[in-house]
Amino acid sequence: MRSLTIALVSALACLAQDAKTPARTATFEVRHELKVTLPEGAQKVRVWFALPQEDPCSNISEIKIDCPLRARIETNADGIRMLYVEKEKPEGKEITIVETFTLTRTEQRGFPDPKKALPLSKEEQSKMAPCLAANQNVVIDEKIKKLADEIVGTETNPVVAARKIYDWVLANIDYWVKDPNHKKASPVGSSEYCLAHKTGNCTDFHSLWTALARAKGIPTRMVYGSFFKKELDGQDKDQSYHCWPEFYATGIGWIPHDVAVADLFVGDFEITKDNDEKVRLTTADGYAGKDAAKVDYYFGNIDERRVVWSTGRDLTLAPAQEGGPVNALAKAHVEVDGKVLPEKTGWTRKLTYKEVK
């Protein structure tokens, strides 16, 4: 395992150099489709379909909704916009909803300088309590607290502590696509699964990172979105979803990172016929092997080939769902007669795009 101190110095030097270059920007024409298959005898269907979120790095234009039923845009208490559809005694066996929009996305540049970081005030601790607490799949128990203490030691600077956790995850957890025949992801994005099995997908990775960071008093929130993968530009193939965390440092603000994608660029595995395509399609623009600069880049920076769908875990939607908290809104949430309709057997999502040159 490389020295955490050396890694941090190297990373900050790299980011300082990159800060002098203009942020990249890309524009995409996007098609987002949801198909719901209704069970026999359905009396009431409720659909919450993810909408693209606007933020300082994302400009959404020309958004159009094609839906056979009455649909409206709702915003929940967390500020997440979503498309909502409700129908009593729905006719037919299938509902298809299509969103089209144009997204211009700018690279998110963090460049976290530890010298600018300050301790959280009591007011900030109170305001950010949800970003310091456990979630259903982000468990902060004595085991996590002990491990976080071992990783961070006596460090109190949130940027330095966050980087120590980042480097520990890189050294101890492997993205499942490196060895898909033997490594698997959890179905829910679980910190406990990731720690126990030392593997997982983006949500597993970032659930573990979030648990460790929150255990050290670092406010953290999860962002759910999707890559616009260069290899799938213009193809009729779903782009899937991706997530990444942001942590908060007083004096700097919210700082993004993506330790899951960074893990691929550590380069501690071989490309084979079994993992080649999966590895390529886990990144925004392909994979060409070990790249230390990208490992450092993803601590504080997020590339422009992404769309944001929602932020947070254990969500209450708008209007509120009948079931318990929703793990995340990366695609959609569907209920029929008060019960959750599962993805794949009950509904499918397809996200396709064309980059505008």
Side-chain angles (χ1 to χ4, degrees):
M1 180 177 174
R2 60 181 176 172
S3 164
L4 294 173
T5 303
I6 293 174
L8 180 58
V9 171
S10 171
L12 293 177
C14 171
L15 294 178
Q17 183 177 5
D18 285 349
K20 300 175 183 177
T21 62
R24 301 186 302 266
T25 298
T27 299
F28 309 95
E29 293 178 349
V30 186
R31 187 178 191 275
H32 195 207
E33 178 186 88
L34 178 69
K35 286 189 176 182
V36 179
T37 301
L38 297 171
E40 193 71 30
Q43 295 300 301
K44 182 179 181 180
V45 59
R46 303 178 76 199
V47 179
W48 295 260
F49 190 20
L51 282 169
Q53 306 297 303
E54 287 199 304
D55 57 42
C57 293
S58 304
N59 177 262
I60 311 296
S61 62
E62 300 178 31
I63 188 164
K64 297 178 181 178
I65 309 296
D66 183 4
C67 179
L69 304 177
R70 184 177 178 182
R72 65 180 190 264
I73 293 176
E74 295 276 1
T75 303
N76 76 347
D78 300 311
I80 304 168
R81 293 192 319 158
M82 59 200 73
L83 189 70
Y84 179 68
V85 176
E86 178 181 321
K87 180 65 175 177
E88 299 271 3
K89 298 181 179 179
E91 299 176 355
K93 296 183 178 180
E94 188 174 88
I95 300 170
T96 299
I97 306 170
V98 178
E99 303 167 356
T100 58
F101 58 91
T102 299
L103 166 68
T104 296
R105 173 87 178 171
T106 302
E107 177 187 19
Q108 191 173 352
R109 308 287 281 272
F111 308 114
D113 183 353
K115 295 179 181 178
K116 296 180 180 179
L118 301 170
L120 276 179
S121 67
K122 289 185 179 180
E123 182 181 353
E124 287 174 320
Q125 289 177 356
S126 176
K127 181 179 179 181
M128 296 188 181
C131 296
L132 289 165
N135 295 117
Q136 183 176 349
N137 294 302
V138 177
V139 177
I140 306 174
D141 55 14
E142 291 306 314
K143 184 176 182 179
I144 280 290
K145 291 177 182 178
K146 182 175 183 293
L147 178 57
D149 286 342
E150 291 172 357
I151 295 168
V152 175
T154 59
E155 183 59 63
T156 58
N157 186 295
V159 175
V160 179
R163 178 64 195 229
K164 284 189 172 187
I165 299 170
Y166 182 90
D167 282 346
W168 184 91
V169 172
L170 289 175
N172 291 276
I173 311 297
D174 283 319
Y175 210 120
W176 77 274
V177 297
K178 293 179 178 180
D179 185 7
N181 293 330
H182 300 96
K183 299 181 186 298
K184 303 297 178 185
S186 83
V188 294
S190 165
S191 60
E192 291 185 307
Y193 176 94
C194 192
L195 184 58
H197 296 273
K198 300 297 188 292
T199 190
N201 62 7
C202 59
T203 323
D204 296 313
F205 261 74
H206 296 140
S207 294
L208 176 57
W209 191 94
T210 295
L212 292 167
R214 289 178 177 176
K216 295 306 297 181
I218 303 173
T220 304
R221 62 190 184 189
M222 195 92 81
V223 180
Y224 283 83
S226 294
F227 277 131
F228 290 129
K229 305 167 185 179
K230 277 193 173 181
E231 189 171 329
L232 300 184
D233 186 353
Q235 294 193 31
D236 188 25
K237 186 173 181 179
D238 181 50
Q239 306 289 307
S240 190
Y241 84 96
H242 185 63
C243 72
W244 57 97
E246 297 178 334
F247 69 94
Y248 184 83
T250 303
I252 299 175
W254 289 101
I255 301 165
H257 79 75
D258 196 332
V259 67
V261 170
D263 185 62
L264 296 177
F265 293 102
V266 171
D268 55 352
F269 65 102
E270 293 183 5
I271 292 295
T272 69
K273 62 179 179 60
D274 295 319
N275 70 11
D276 181 35
E277 182 181 36
K278 288 181 172 62
V279 169
R280 293 197 319 271
L281 294 180
T282 301
T283 71
D285 54 2
Y287 183 78
K290 182 177 179 179
D291 191 333
K294 284 196 173 184
V295 173
D296 288 335
Y297 169 85
Y298 279 118
F299 182 77
N301 302 276
I302 295 296
D303 35 45
E304 73 282 8
R305 305 188 65 84
R306 304 186 186 211
V307 61
V308 173
W309 301 121
S310 66
T311 300
R313 307 285 296 270
D314 296 354
L315 302 176
T316 297
L317 306 178
Q321 67 275 14
E322 293 188 50
V326 173
N327 187 26
L329 190 63
K331 299 178 182 179
H333 178 76
V334 182
E335 293 181 351
V336 173
D337 299 334
K339 297 181 179 180
V340 175
L341 192 67
E343 185 180 4
K344 294 183 179 179
T345 56
W347 57 268
T348 58
R349 191 283 301 265
K350 184 164 65 176
L351 173 68
T352 56
Y353 84 96
K354 181 70 178 176
E355 185 171 2
V356 180
K357 303 297 184 182

